Amino acid sequence: MKKLYDTIVVGGGHAGSEAAYISSKMGGKTLLITMNLQNIAQMSCNPAMGGVAKGQIIREIDALGGRSAFVSDLSAVQFKMLNRSKGPAMWSPRAQSDRMLFSAVWRKELEKQKNLDFCQAMVSDLLIDNNKISGVVTSIGTNFYAKTVILTNGTFLNGLIHIGEKNYGGGRTCEQASFGITKSLERVGFSSGRMKTGTPPRVDGRSLDFSIMEPQPGDTNPEKFSFSDDTRPLKKQLDCFLTYTNKISHDILRSGFDRSPMFNGSIKSIGPRYCPSIEDKINRFAEKDRHQIFVEPEGWDSIEYYINGFSTSLPEEIQVKALKKIKGFKNAKVIRPGYAVEYDYFPPTQLKKSMETKIVPGLFFAGQINGTTGYEEAAAQGLMAGINANLHVNCKEPIVLSRSDAYIGVLIDDLVTKGTEEPYRMFTSRAEFRTLLRQDNADLRLSEKAHSLGLIGSKRINKLISKKRAIDKLLSFYKKTSISPKESKSLLEEKGSPNLKQSQKISKLYSRPNIFFKDLLKATKISDFINLEKFDKEVISQAEIQIKYSGYIEKELKNVEKINRLENLRIPSGFDFNSLKSISNEAKEKLIQISPTTLAQASRISGVSPSDISSILVKIGR
């Protein structure tokens, strides 16, 4: 029991799994403590990974050596690339998962780590000596000691579950809440708040009539998440289905509003804006006659279906009655009712960008404890907390991703700089450099950094180097090789695009919005100049994107340079913001609270104006 660990990870959800995996992979002696070892990496809500902006995060986790993409590939039942009709900055991979298999694969991956120990227990207190973390205490009084601790408690901190007028302690259905940690943290100066999330009912698929729903199949030629060669795309897939609520089901749902914890005052905390409950949707958008319902399988061999779009905490009998009025649900049998859960979180402005807390050195937070929602956001935070906890133990500088490096950088910067008063969800619109932060180039952006830290091996990095060379070779070919008006005439006429008046470089023709690689093959014998068999699909696609969007990419790179000038202007440690007489009281309060380390971070704080930044510049001698 007195063994000293490098890192203790509290909680075995998506954040905890990534944190424990990467910490032990980096050689740190790691202990994962969770209340139920059978529920490691549980998909508490929807059985899926990825989606808009979230898919980009999963690819970034993979590029940095994390395991969520790998596990998703091995447990997927369907794969889709969303937003194909838009530009590549919006393309977002999403995998429907086998819920049980996902958890099983994650546990197997964790159990392979030689430096990782496991313990099933509830952590109820923290050991803090001389204002530094030194370990944790379980509910039965056992002490575990460590140089760093990562808290990834999800929805369990003082969790309270609501179904209609009934409520009871719990972090997930049939799982007890966790008590003690909030008080322990508040005792040393942390401030906390309450948030809410919810989940829909699960229904027996044998009781549904899928024949009158709209099938939602996966991609014809599905891709996968991981950049490694250790996984393969799906050869067979399961369908999801689409149906809709209607006026009758809305009326039934409204009949239960007086017993809804959302409306009777039982729930006082704020829920996720972009994933509202069904009662919230029909209340806020009363003019709508229907709302989409996606019926999603929970696994290859499971009869359970997840009713996406019907998250609710209404009384169970109201849930069932309303569901039965939805097309295809006439004989629906509910296996588990929907519910809402309230839980404690800690405003993330109390963190450094390394995910380490400002108040207690060596203590890191990751996941919903920071006010985020979503598996992907949690996993990303867990990964970065695990990496930086290991670096902290070894007295090395933390790794901080910038907003131009990754969506993960945007996520953490938003949390630490702006904070959040409602469950934070990532969107492509939150990233000002989203043309650079595409899902297709996550490995090109991040894997060399990961290799320098020992997070990915030589096999992966050699593959990346070969890929880069192939892309450069193909780009060089496009830029150097010309195409004549005669060769391109029939293609351009077919596309309704102006003919060439003289020979032009292929890259110039290729940059036209309606000309794609398959069109170039028709227009010219590229194979006479270059052996295309040497280039895989990823390389060809990457070269195409870089050619077609070169103008946008160059513009964003220039903007990154401008921002980096401010990022490089550091605010001295201990800078006295009270000494600034010309800035507003609001700006002063927020600057003191957040303690930004650079001018760029200070400029992103809500309430801090450009004139305030100028005042800081003058004060530090710029």
Side-chain angles (χ1 to χ4, degrees):
M1 294 298 182
K2 291 186 178 180
K3 178 179 179 180
L4 178 64
Y5 287 95
D6 291 317
T7 300
I8 290 176
V9 178
V10 180
H14 298 265
S17 294
E18 284 289 4
Y21 174 81
I22 206 70
S23 171
S24 56
K25 185 179 179 181
M26 292 176 77
K29 294 175 183 177
T30 307
L31 174 65
L32 174 60
I33 303 180
T34 185
M35 291 195 292
N36 191 341
L37 287 169
Q38 305 307 313
N39 291 334
I40 283 178
Q42 184 73 251
M43 290 183 137
S44 310
C45 202
N46 62 317
M49 291 294 277
V52 177
K54 293 168 175 279
Q56 283 86 331
I57 288 176
I58 295 297
R59 286 248 162 112
E60 290 175 354
I61 289 171
D62 183 73
L64 288 166
R67 216 57 176 160
S68 288
F70 175 87
V71 174
S72 296
D73 285 345
L74 291 188
S75 58
V77 300
Q78 187 193 89
F79 189 95
K80 267 189 175 182
M81 187 65 73
L82 307 180
N83 290 335
R84 276 288 194 188
S85 61
K86 300 179 182 179
M90 303 298 288
W91 297 351
S92 303
R94 182 183 188 271
Q96 198 70 30
S97 303
D98 183 312
R99 182 189 300 277
M100 299 295 287
L101 184 58
F102 183 92
S103 182
V105 174
W106 242 125
R107 176 163 178 163
K108 190 174 181 181
E109 289 305 303
L110 290 170
E111 289 178 350
K112 288 179 183 177
Q113 302 306 305
K114 295 178 181 177
N115 294 312
L116 181 58
D117 289 345
F118 300 86
C119 175
Q120 181 166 296
M122 179 195 293
V123 171
S124 58
D125 202 355
L126 302 175
L127 295 173
I128 299 172
D129 295 325
N130 297 320
N131 202 39
K132 290 183 180 179
I133 197 72
S134 61
V136 300
V137 183
T138 70
S139 58
I140 60 171
T142 305
N143 290 2
F144 291 95
Y145 300 93
K147 299 172 185 175
T148 58
V149 171
I150 305 173
L151 297 182
T152 69
N153 302 84
T155 60
F156 285 82
L157 292 181
N158 294 325
L160 184 65
I161 289 175
H162 298 267
I163 303 176
E165 295 170 295
K166 300 171 185 176
N167 60 61
Y168 57 91
R172 253 190 316 242
T173 184
C174 299
E175 292 184 58
Q176 63 179 320
S178 172
F179 302 101
I181 288 179
T182 297
K183 280 187 177 179
S184 181
L185 291 169
E186 288 175 341
R187 198 164 54 238
V188 294
F190 286 93
S191 62
S192 67
R194 293 284 278 176
M195 280 190 178
K196 185 221 85 162
T197 190
T199 193
R202 271 61 160 190
V203 174
D204 187 334
R206 298 171 300 182
S207 66
L208 300 178
D209 186 355
F210 295 109
S211 67
I212 57 175
M213 301 182 197
E214 300 173 29
Q216 303 289 302
D219 289 343
T220 305
N221 295 303
E223 298 180 32
K224 62 190 185 78
F225 269 119
S226 181
F227 291 102
S228 76
D229 294 326
D230 297 330
T231 62
R232 295 285 180 270
L234 289 168
K235 291 185 178 179
K236 65 174 183 175
Q237 303 181 71
L238 294 179
D239 284 348
C240 295
F241 297 87
L242 175 63
T243 186
Y244 299 88
T245 60
N246 51 56
K247 287 183 178 180
I248 298 172
S249 58
H250 290 186
D251 288 341
I252 293 169
L253 290 166
R254 286 191 189 98
S255 73
F257 277 10
D258 60 329
R259 293 188 286 155
S260 166
M262 285 281 296
F263 302 122
N264 66 15
S266 297
I267 292 177
K268 297 178 176 63
S269 49
I270 300 173
R273 179 187 299 265
Y274 301 103
C275 189
S277 64
I278 188 64
E279 54 264 42
D280 195 23
K281 282 192 278 191
I282 65 173
N283 183 54
R284 286 166 53 194
F285 308 107
E287 74 283 359
K288 286 201 169 188
D289 294 333
R290 66 178 192 172
H291 293 283
Q292 289 183 329
I293 299 294
F294 288 94
V295 185
E296 302 175 347
E298 297 245 327
W300 292 109
D301 304 310
S302 177
I303 62 167
E304 279 192 86
Y305 275 75
Y306 177 86
I307 314 305
N308 197 339
F310 203 88
S311 177
T312 181
S313 57
L314 284 165
E316 186 174 3
E317 66 272 18
I318 297 291
Q319 296 183 32
V320 175
K321 193 176 177 182
L323 274 173
K324 286 179 178 288
K325 298 300 179 182
I326 295 174
K327 191 175 181 179
F329 279 74
K330 183 179 179 181
N331 301 309
K333 294 179 181 178
V334 173
I335 295 175
R336 311 186 230 178
Y339 63 88
V341 56
E342 289 185 285
Y343 54 94
D344 292 343
Y345 86 104
F346 291 81
T349 50
Q350 299 170 103
L351 299 177
K352 301 175 185 177
K353 286 190 178 183
S354 62
M355 309 306 292
E356 185 182 18
T357 64
K358 295 173 182 176
I359 297 174
V360 179
L363 178 62
F364 295 74
F365 292 172
Q368 284 172 293
I369 192 173
N370 292 330
T372 61
T373 181
Y375 308 145
E376 302 83 2
E377 290 88 342
Q381 293 171 70
L383 178 76
M384 298 310 296
I387 291 170
N388 285 324
N390 182 274
L391 294 174
H392 179 92
V393 167
N394 291 289
C395 301
K396 295 181 179 179
E397 285 294 308
I399 293 297
V400 174
L401 299 175
S402 73
R403 297 180 72 90
S404 58
D405 285 331
Y407 272 93
I408 297 174
V410 175
L411 165 67
I412 294 173
D413 184 68
D414 276 356
L415 293 173
V416 172
T417 303
K418 301 174 183 177
T420 186
E421 294 179 353
E422 61 184 49
Y424 178 102
R425 177 179 178 178
M426 179 54 72
F427 288 101
T428 50
S429 58
R430 295 191 190 272
E432 58 270 50
F433 305 120
R434 55 185 174 273
T435 304
L436 301 179
L437 308 182
R438 306 184 309 276
Q439 54 82 30
D440 59 87
N441 69 352
D443 58 337
L444 301 173
R445 289 185 277 119
L446 300 170
S447 286
E448 286 180 327
K449 189 186 294 281
H451 181 63
S452 69
L453 291 168
L455 305 178
I456 61 173
S458 56
K459 182 181 176 183
R460 281 279 297 270
I461 203 66
N462 288 337
K463 182 188 176 186
L464 178 70
I465 291 168
S466 297
K467 180 179 177 179
K468 278 188 171 183
R469 286 174 180 164
I471 293 167
D472 290 342
K473 187 174 181 180
L474 202 51
L475 288 171
S476 176
F477 166 74
Y478 290 146
K479 291 173 183 176
K480 290 179 179 178
T481 309
S482 297
I483 185 169
S484 69
K486 183 180 178 181
E487 288 175 306
S488 62
K489 184 180 179 183
S490 60
L491 167 65
L492 294 177
E493 287 177 352
E494 178 191 330
K495 294 284 184 177
S497 190
N499 288 325
L500 298 181
K501 294 180 180 179
Q502 59 187 32
S503 291
Q504 201 174 76
K505 299 301 182 192
I506 290 178
S507 59
K508 192 79 173 174
L509 180 69
Y510 205 179
S511 65
R512 296 189 183 189
N514 57 344
I515 304 296
F516 297 94
F517 181 76
K518 60 185 179 182
D519 302 317
L520 291 179
L521 292 178
K522 296 177 188 175
T524 182
K525 293 181 179 179
I526 293 179
S527 56
D528 289 350
F529 303 97
I530 193 166
N531 184 2
L532 289 174
E533 291 181 2
K534 291 183 178 179
F535 301 92
D536 63 28
K537 188 169 68 173
E538 276 186 31
V539 169
I540 293 169
S541 175
Q542 188 62 225
E544 178 169 90
I545 290 169
Q546 290 191 30
I547 287 287
K548 298 186 83 63
Y549 295 89
S550 58
Y552 298 101
I553 291 170
E554 287 170 15
K555 185 178 178 180
E556 283 203 356
L557 286 171
K558 287 178 182 176
N559 287 336
V560 169
E561 287 179 19
K562 291 177 184 177
I563 293 296
N564 282 344
R565 291 188 202 122
L566 281 180
E567 290 287 4
N568 292 330
L569 290 173
R570 301 193 67 79
I571 298 173
S573 177
F575 182 83
D576 183 12
F577 292 105
N578 272 319
S579 66
L580 300 171
K581 305 297 182 186
S582 58
I583 70 172
S584 68
N585 287 331
E586 180 192 2
K588 200 175 290 185
E589 286 172 11
K590 290 185 176 179
L591 287 164
I592 292 169
Q593 177 194 11
I594 293 168
S595 298
T597 56
T598 68
L599 263 295
Q601 186 186 0
S603 70
R604 291 190 290 270
I605 297 172
S606 174
V608 176
S609 69
S611 63
D612 296 332
I613 297 299
S614 296
S615 297
I616 298 171
L617 275 169
V618 171
K619 187 70 175 179
I620 62 176
R622 176 70 174 175

